[in-house]
Structure formats: structure tokens, C-alpha cells
Amino acid sequence: MAVKNAALSAGTSTKTEVFYPETDDMPLPDGFYQHSHFWEIISILNYFFRLRDDVVVAGDIFIYYVEGDPRLRVAPDCFVVFGVSRESFERNNTYLVWDVGKAPDFVFEIGSPSTASNDLGDKRELYASLGIGEYWRFDPSGGDHYGEPLVGETLVDGEYRELEMVRGVDGSVRGHSATLGLELHWEEGRLRFYDPVEGRWLENMDETGMRAETAEAQAESERVARVSAEERMAEMEAEIRRLRGE
């Protein structure tokens, strides 16, 4: 077990404090394959919950679930936890379940060649044992890794049961997450989120930027048209005054 020693004042015993590393100094498995999906999902959910101080969205950080044993840890691609303080995360830069007070409410994994079997096996069993209410798996390939493009499961009596997925004629797959209050959609290898309350798709940074640019361009076009109309009106008024000999 990795530990760090904190020497107390002279004449006292040495206290041993368990050390929970932030990283294992190993590269992410299939990091490039998952990278674009990972950042898009994290950024979209973070923005959606940005006004909630009691919600933490994160991913690819260690969750330690047994106090005193830093060997027992897991790092989901994405997780969401409700009703907690951000301070405990910022203080440790890791997720200590006993310090936070609960396990995540929602966990999400992205399928890849080297992680799929673990996501379907040991991780799934672990998440159930930790009491994580919803476990979702997104397969960008459409099913090569998980067998399905998108699968959501909810915890019932300590075991996961699949949520209903709706398949569209266009090949899309969607399901509803009661935990997030959102619909998750698999569309042509991309995961999208839909807010049924607001009746809108959640945007990624590129889409938000494009919308802002469009709105800015429209505002500029309206400004130019307004200025042009004002100039024409001024010219007409000047011509009327000229004809009147004013």
C-alpha cells in the first residue's frame, strides 16, 4: 500500500496517512479513439448543470470506494453526482466515496476496443455494488464493442435492468435518463442530449459558437439595414426641404 508519513512533533509517534494518488501515470486506454466523444459529453453536461451548485460532472478521475485501501478504485469515462459539495472534489482532486458521502448517481462509459469487456463485466458489477443508480454505455461504432449503439440500465434491488430504448427508422437509438432528466440519442456514431422540458437539443461548443456567430451576423445585418433606412429617410427629408426652398 502506498503511504506518506507525516512526522509529528518531537517525542511523539509517527502518524501514517493513506495516500490516494490522482493518477497512475499510465496513458489512457484508446485515448485518441475516445477523446472527442469524452470531451463533448463532459462539456455538454457541465454546461447544462452549470447553475446547480450541488451537481458535479466529471470523468476520468479515480473514484476510491474503500477507505484505507487505495488499490480499490475505478475511473469512469463520465459520472454525475447530485446533492454534494464541490469542495470535497477540489480538496482531494479525487473522488473519495466516504468523504463525498455517496457514490455517483449516473455513470457513463464509451466503448472502445480495449475497454469494452471490462465495461460489460467487472465494472458493471462494481457499479451495481456501489449503488450507482444508472449505468449507460455508448458505442460510437454502433455496436462493435457493446453489441448495441446505446444501452441504459437502472438499478433495481441491487441489479441492473435495461431501460427501454426506442429505435428510429433512420437507425437512431434513444432512451430517457430519469436521473439526468434528459433523453440520450445515438445518431450516426454521435451521442446527443435532448431536454424534453425545454424542448431543445443541448449544444456542444462548436454548435454554440456557430449559433452565436449566426446571431451576431443577423444582428449586424439588421444594424446595417437600419442605418441604411435612416440615411435614406434623412436624404428624403433633405430633398423635401430643398424643394420647399427651406
Side-chain angles (χ1 to χ4, degrees):
M1 179 185 300
V3 298
K4 61 180 180 181
N5 295 323
L8 303 181
S9 59
T12 64
S13 61
T14 299
K15 179 183 177 181
T16 300
E17 180 182 349
V18 178
F19 176 53
Y20 302 94
E22 300 174 16
T23 177
D24 57 5
D25 296 321
M26 296 294 291
L28 294 175
D30 303 318
F32 184 78
Y33 179 85
Q34 296 177 315
H35 185 269
S36 61
H37 302 291
F38 169 80
W39 284 112
E40 182 174 41
I41 292 166
I42 292 290
S43 62
I44 287 174
L45 292 179
N46 258 316
Y47 189 77
F48 179 69
F49 290 112
R50 68 192 182 282
L51 301 180
R52 295 275 304 271
D53 292 333
D54 65 332
V55 180
V56 172
V57 178
D60 192 38
I61 69 171
F62 282 141
I63 297 176
Y64 291 94
Y65 48 89
V66 175
E67 186 173 7
D69 193 341
R71 298 168 299 179
L72 300 179
R73 65 195 184 190
V74 65
D77 290 330
C78 173
F79 66 81
V80 183
V81 57
F82 295 85
V84 298
S85 169
R86 293 179 178 270
E87 293 180 359
S88 59
F89 294 90
E90 295 170 352
R91 179 170 62 249
N92 300 307
N93 207 28
T94 53
Y95 192 134
L96 307 180
V97 172
W98 57 92
D99 190 37
V100 175
K102 60 185 293 188
D105 298 288
F106 175 97
V107 162
F108 192 91
E109 296 287 0
I110 302 169
S112 68
S114 69
T115 63
S117 61
N118 193 31
D119 295 343
L120 293 168
D122 292 343
K123 270 191 174 182
R124 183 173 181 272
E125 293 180 6
L126 174 60
Y127 294 155
S129 71
L130 293 177
I132 294 172
E134 282 189 9
Y135 176 34
W136 286 73
R137 297 181 297 276
F138 160 59
D139 191 336
S141 72
D144 291 347
H145 308 306
Y146 292 146
E148 297 285 347
L150 181 66
V151 176
E153 297 184 304
T154 184
L155 195 65
V156 179
D157 296 329
E159 296 183 356
Y160 282 124
R161 296 183 183 176
E162 286 195 16
L163 296 166
E164 180 183 2
M165 294 289 143
V166 179
R167 288 165 170 77
V169 295
D170 58 354
S172 63
V173 180
R174 74 177 188 273
H176 178 75
S177 167
T179 300
L180 299 184
L182 297 171
E183 291 181 3
L184 282 68
H185 290 239
W186 183 98
E187 296 180 0
E188 298 181 346
R190 180 188 173 194
L191 183 75
R192 301 195 68 192
F193 295 89
Y194 182 78
D195 182 354
V197 176
E198 297 291 334
R200 64 182 180 89
W201 293 98
L202 305 190
E203 297 176 330
N204 61 25
M205 289 184 290
D206 290 339
E207 291 166 335
T208 300
M210 290 175 61
R211 182 167 56 82
E213 290 176 0
T214 300
E216 184 178 349
Q218 182 177 353
E220 177 62 15
S221 177
E222 292 173 352
R223 186 192 68 80
V224 170
R226 184 177 64 255
V227 170
S228 178
E230 291 172 351
E231 290 176 347
R232 288 198 301 272
M233 181 63 70
E235 291 173 355
M236 291 175 62
E237 291 175 350
E239 179 64 14
I240 291 173
R241 287 196 298 271
R242 185 186 69 77
L243 294 174
R244 290 176 177 176
E246 297 178 0

